Amino acid sequence: MIPHVVRTISELREAVAEWRSDGAGIGMVPTMGALHAGHVSLVDASMRACRRTIVTLFVNPRQFAPNEDFAAYPRTEESDSRILGEAGVDLLFAPAVEEVYPEGFATTIAMAGPAAAGLETAFRPHFFDGVATIVAKLLVAGMPDYAFFGEKDYQQLLVVRRMARDLALPLEIVGCPTVREDDGLALSSRNAYLSDDERRRAPTLIAGMRRAAAAIRKGAEPMDALADAKREIAGAGFSVDYLEIRNAETLAPVADWRNEPLRMLAAARLGRTRLIDNIAV
Ligand code: AMP
């Protein structure tokens, strides 16, 4: 079965109002499409928690810089909607750019604080403002009870959680574990850009991170373990944008290595493909 597709905010609100009137809990899963098993895991989490699930499909121009892959980003709505139908999704919200950003649109949600400081922001300065603005718009449009985001984009998850709290949106942001290939590579729509040779080398990113996390758990100096991992990852042909450990709850720099929850986060480029990943330490 193919989910019901709506293109406008008013149609979305009508559908949601009908569900609300019979008291259904509503989940939302925002995506940029090119769906894979990682997205489906968010959909499954929503279907378990909520009687109704809305998936949104929108490749958001405002989170791409001019030199990034907005035009090349895979657009596969037909197969996406088949996948969502098989998963039992009720509603697909797939608006055009003009519906989301009509003529004269002039609002940006600007993120500050530790979650938005450094890491991705150092390389993509406007990225989280673009993400916060679109996610806020989608959440306000659908007003779900829960919205589901992947830990794959860990910094994004914490930024979205911060934004939702700051705006007192009456909903819960739920983080879901990263889905990986058998060799460890995190599923990503951008993996489609990898050549066969790059695909073979790509799992070195997570392998190096896992080795460093294990060494740190056994007592190694974090900075030494990270330096070793950087060498290993660079050895597979990656150019490393960052490999850092932060406080897992706030993303603030670590002050007390023994007593804080730790998250290791990385971004690295392999040819023309930029991969990000993160794990608990
Ligand atoms: P995207 O379409 O890439 O913007 O991702 C939409 C949502 O799917 C985001 O919340 C991502 O964090 C999540 N996601 C992407 N890849 C994965 C994955 N491998 N495992 C779990 N969630 C993922």
Side-chain angles (χ1 to χ4, degrees):
M1 216 186 58
I2 299 287
H4 181 46
V5 181
V6 297
R7 309 265 173 209
T8 65
I9 291 171
S10 64
E11 289 170 296
L12 174 66
R13 289 202 165 127
E14 249 169 67
V16 171
E18 207 166 294
W19 295 342
R20 282 249 174 265
S21 65
D22 27 276
I26 296 169
M28 180 182 275
V29 180
T31 80
M32 298 204 301
L35 300 183
H36 50 62
H39 299 112
V40 173
S41 76
L42 305 185
V43 168
D44 290 343
S46 175
M47 308 262 297
R48 281 194 298 273
C50 306
R51 241 170 65 208
R52 298 289 195 170
T53 291
I54 308 162
V55 172
T56 72
L57 192 178
F58 182 63
V59 184
N60 176 32
R62 287 177 161 244
Q63 71 193 64
F64 290 80
N67 62 327
E68 291 178 350
D69 56 343
F70 176 69
Y73 199 85
R75 287 165 173 84
T76 58
E77 185 181 321
E78 213 171 295
S79 65
D80 290 347
S81 105
R82 250 194 323 273
I83 290 168
L84 296 176
E86 276 160 28
V89 165
D90 302 283
L91 191 64
L92 174 60
F93 177 50
V97 172
E98 305 75 52
E99 174 70 9
V100 177
Y101 302 119
E103 183 67 26
F105 187 95
T107 299
T108 299
I109 296 183
M111 298 303 301
L119 304 173
E120 284 302 291
T121 304
F123 294 86
R124 311 178 74 192
H126 305 295
F127 177 67
F128 288 121
D129 293 356
V131 167
T133 305
I134 184 62
V135 171
K137 179 142 194 179
L138 293 170
L139 293 175
V140 169
M143 272 303 171
D145 304 294
Y146 298 89
F148 297 82
F149 291 84
E151 286 183 352
K152 158 75 178 21
D153 301 278
Y154 195 83
Q155 192 178 11
Q156 168 174 285
L157 168 64
L158 294 207
V159 166
V160 166
R161 207 170 252 157
R162 183 77 255 165
M163 177 277 293
R165 249 177 229 162
D166 290 351
L167 299 182
L169 298 179
L171 47 84
E172 190 179 324
I173 303 296
V174 183
C176 301
T178 302
V179 177
R180 299 179 180 281
E181 303 279 8
D182 289 341
D183 60 12
L185 180 66
L187 296 190
S188 164
S189 309
R190 289 192 167 100
N191 291 351
Y193 299 155
L194 296 168
S195 69
D196 289 347
D197 175 52
E198 288 165 346
R199 176 63 191 83
R200 270 189 294 277
R201 288 182 281 134
T204 306
L205 176 60
I206 184 63
M209 294 172 74
R210 282 174 170 163
R211 228 183 309 282
I216 293 165
R217 280 195 289 270
K218 281 196 209 122
E221 257 317 303
M223 290 313 143
D224 294 343
L226 289 177
D228 288 346
K230 264 187 205 165
R231 262 193 301 278
E232 179 179 354
I233 293 162
F238 278 97
S239 157
V240 179
D241 280 353
Y242 61 81
L243 175 64
E244 286 187 41
I245 296 176
R246 297 277 189 100
N247 181 296
E249 278 157 22
T250 60
L251 288 186
V254 179
D256 178 354
W257 287 90
R258 290 187 174 283
N259 295 307
E260 289 179 45
L262 303 177
R263 197 87 188 177
M264 186 185 299
L265 304 101
R269 285 168 286 124
L270 192 54
R272 68 189 183 104
T273 310
R274 188 168 181 277
L275 300 179
I276 63 171
D277 208 337
N278 68 87
I279 50 171
V281 180

